[in-house]
Amino acid sequence: MARTSARDRKRFNWWRTIAIAFAIALHAGIIIMLLAPAAPPQAKEKQQKSVTVTFIPPPPPPPPPPPPPPEPPKQPPPKEIKIQKPPPMPPPPAPPPPQQQTVMSTPAAPPRPPAPPPPPADVQASIDISYKNRNPPNYPIQAMRQGHQGMVILDITVNAAGEVTNVTVEKSSGYRELDRAAEEAARKWKFNPGVHAGKAAGGVVRVPVNFSLQGVM
């Protein structure tokens, strides 16, 4: 076996040489491809765009500012008025020494005037009840037959002498004949005049007149 190995070593192996050469060539090609610069990419054609430029005229210049107002004329400073102080007044004379007053020398106080009387109270006009009772209104016969009854309220105006000047019906009884009989009787009555500021005065007196059939029929 030793002889065969030595003989094989002396013989030239072509296949091994071809394989080694192919491997070297392959590696060399790979190295060349790695070292070669990459082809620059084709630059894209730039599209030319048309731009329209419009010239805008500049705005007109602003108007010049108005001139400043003229300065007002300077007024002269006011004149100083010197106030002269009046001369000092002489001191007042010393009062006389007080004199000792006795009871006899002191005058008596005047008597107080009497208090005025209170103003007279105002009194409203009123009816003379006794005179009214002596002159009652006449009950209308027709109203009695028909059974009419009710109360009449009269507003009677009197003067300062107590005389009747006007009669009005404030509230009706509901029957015209009863209202008329009350008005006719009121014009014959006597009234007490009112008092205002101490003097007789007239006024308006409200008087109820009742027409009732109780005790009449």
Side-chain angles (χ1 to χ4, degrees):
M1 293 177 64
R3 290 180 181 178
T4 304
S5 300
R7 189 180 296 176
D8 293 337
R9 291 175 182 175
K10 291 180 180 180
R11 293 177 59 183
F12 184 78
N13 193 346
W14 291 99
W15 293 106
R16 183 181 295 177
T17 304
I18 292 170
I20 293 171
F22 179 76
I24 292 171
L26 180 62
H27 285 80
I30 293 172
I31 291 171
I32 291 171
M33 290 178 63
L34 293 174
L35 294 177
Q42 295 180 359
K44 296 181 179 180
E45 294 182 358
K46 296 182 179 180
Q47 297 179 359
Q48 294 182 359
K49 296 181 179 181
S50 60
V51 179
T52 304
V53 179
T54 304
F55 292 95
I56 301 174
E71 296 182 357
K74 295 183 179 180
Q75 298 181 357
K79 296 181 180 181
E80 296 182 358
I81 301 174
K82 294 183 179 180
I83 301 175
Q84 296 181 357
K85 294 183 179 180
M89 299 292 293
Q99 297 180 0
Q100 294 182 357
Q101 296 181 358
T102 60
V103 179
M104 299 298 295
S105 61
T106 303
R112 293 183 180 179
D122 293 345
V123 179
Q124 298 293 333
S126 60
I127 187 172
D128 189 343
I129 301 298
S130 61
Y131 201 91
K132 175 186 175 184
N133 293 336
R134 290 196 303 267
N135 298 276
N138 297 323
Y139 212 120
I141 298 175
Q142 187 68 21
M144 293 176 61
R145 292 176 179 176
Q146 295 180 0
H148 295 169
Q149 59 182 354
M151 179 178 289
V152 185
I153 299 178
L154 303 175
D155 280 350
I156 305 172
T157 305
V158 298
N159 56 16
E163 299 173 350
V164 178
T165 58
N166 188 27
V167 179
T168 58
V169 177
E170 172 63 22
K171 183 179 179 182
S172 174
S173 63
Y175 303 101
R176 178 58 184 163
E177 61 273 15
L178 298 181
D179 298 345
R180 188 177 302 170
E183 291 180 17
E184 292 177 357
R187 295 183 186 277
K188 302 176 184 178
W189 290 340
K190 185 69 176 179
F191 289 84
N192 300 319
V195 178
H196 180 70
K199 296 181 180 181
V204 178
V205 184
R206 181 163 294 180
V207 181
V209 180
N210 187 23
F211 290 90
S212 177
L213 295 175
Q214 294 181 1
V216 175
M217 298 182 67

